Amino acid sequence: MQTATAVEISKCKQCACGSKLAAQYVCLLPEKCNNQFLYCDDENCSSKHDHRMAKITSVMQHLKNQVGEFREKVSTLKSNLSDLFPTFEKLVKFYTASQKALSQKNSPQDGKKYRYLDELVAKIDKLYNEVDSYSLSLDELQIEYKLEEMIKTVDVQGERLKEEFTEVATLAKMDEELLWNIYEEAISTDYVNQELMDKFSPSNWNTYHGLQIKALKSKLDKKEAEFQAFKTLVEQKLQI
Ligand SMILES: [Zn+2]
Ligand SMILES: [Zn+2]
């Protein structure tokens, strides 16, 4: 840890104060110091920054750790979804076709709410690759002590990647429940596509039948709820 944050003076820029000393400290409250972001050891310079002090290397390491944590989250999502996707792929293709048929029948406004797992998985794969090169570019900037560029990269690229992650983070895990959440409406229709169904593996068929039963149960539950509501209504009328 000591070596990770030891400052190599030769890598630092010269301080803007004109002392020709290395700008090796970071001002954590630059708005109080005429926006002088980096400063040096010179008495005239550092005395202006007695509020808080941080070594440039500590700030860079802190940023890198944060990015490392984010990368880890994206990597976990990829293992739980993309890496398990091939097992479900033929089934997903079938439900996507079924749901696309539904969206054509419904009005465009309704169609907007449909999501497709194959597209979402492709999105996660792309995000994973982007986060990987984002993290690598920060490593390179860190080696060269380009803290300002690191901060800019985190603010612009990092924020965009985080937003993209938020859109897919709730998918959590590739399983029967996720299929149900994404394709409930498609599962509940009696859509048939022989060409796509012929490609099902035995485990795809198991999942397919499991989901058919779930759809049937859900239909019965809805009918039961409707019946109970109707019964309550009749009872109320009879009491009058
Ligand atoms: Zn200075
Ligand atoms: Zn300051």
Side-chain angles (χ1 to χ4, degrees), residues 15-19 36 39-40 42 45:
C15 188
C17 73
S19 68
Q36 191 183 337
Y39 63 102
C40 66
D42 188 84
C45 188

Side-chain angles (χ1 to χ4, degrees), residues 3-5 19 24 30 32 37 39 72 96-97 109 113 119 131 138 142 152 157 159 187 192 198 200:
T3 48
T5 55
S19 68
Q24 58 172 314
K32 281 199 171 178
F37 179 60
Y39 63 102
E72 201 50 44
T96 287
Q109 291 103 308
K113 72 173 191 255
E119 286 170 15
V131 170
L138 284 173
Q142 186 183 18
K152 204 182 277 172
Q157 203 181 351
E159 284 306 307
I187 291 165
V192 173
D198 282 346
F200 282 6

Side-chain angles (χ1 to χ4, degrees), residues 158-218:
E159 284 306 307
R160 179 179 62 80
L161 292 170
K162 268 190 194 159
E163 266 173 42
E164 282 181 28
F165 177 67
T166 312
E167 284 172 30
V168 286
T170 53
L171 298 173
K173 197 172 178 350
M174 184 75 227
D175 57 11
E176 205 172 302
E177 194 168 324
L178 180 64
L179 285 170
W180 178 257
N181 289 339
I182 303 278
Y183 294 112
E184 181 182 344
E185 215 180 312
I187 291 165
S188 307
T189 64
D190 41 19
Y191 178 80
V192 173
N193 186 321
Q194 209 50 57
E195 200 194 328
L196 293 175
M197 291 170 108
D198 282 346
K199 290 177 184 156
F200 282 6
S201 68
S203 106
N204 286 160
W205 278 114
N206 274 341
T207 312
Y208 173 80
H209 290 307
L211 286 167
Q212 292 279 99
I213 290 166
K214 199 175 165 72
L216 197 62
K217 274 189 188 150
S218 156

Side-chain angles (χ1 to χ4, degrees), residues 218-232:
S218 156
K219 263 183 208 166
L220 289 174
D221 286 349
K222 272 177 204 156
K223 286 259 181 278
E224 176 66 19
E226 277 170 26
F227 174 70
Q228 286 302 335
F230 174 70
K231 210 174 124 192
T232 312

Side-chain angles (χ1 to χ4, degrees), residues 10-24:
S10 62
K11 284 187 175 181
C12 295
K13 285 192 279 191
Q14 273 190 8
C15 188
C17 73
S19 68
K20 297 198 170 169
L21 293 172
Q24 58 172 314

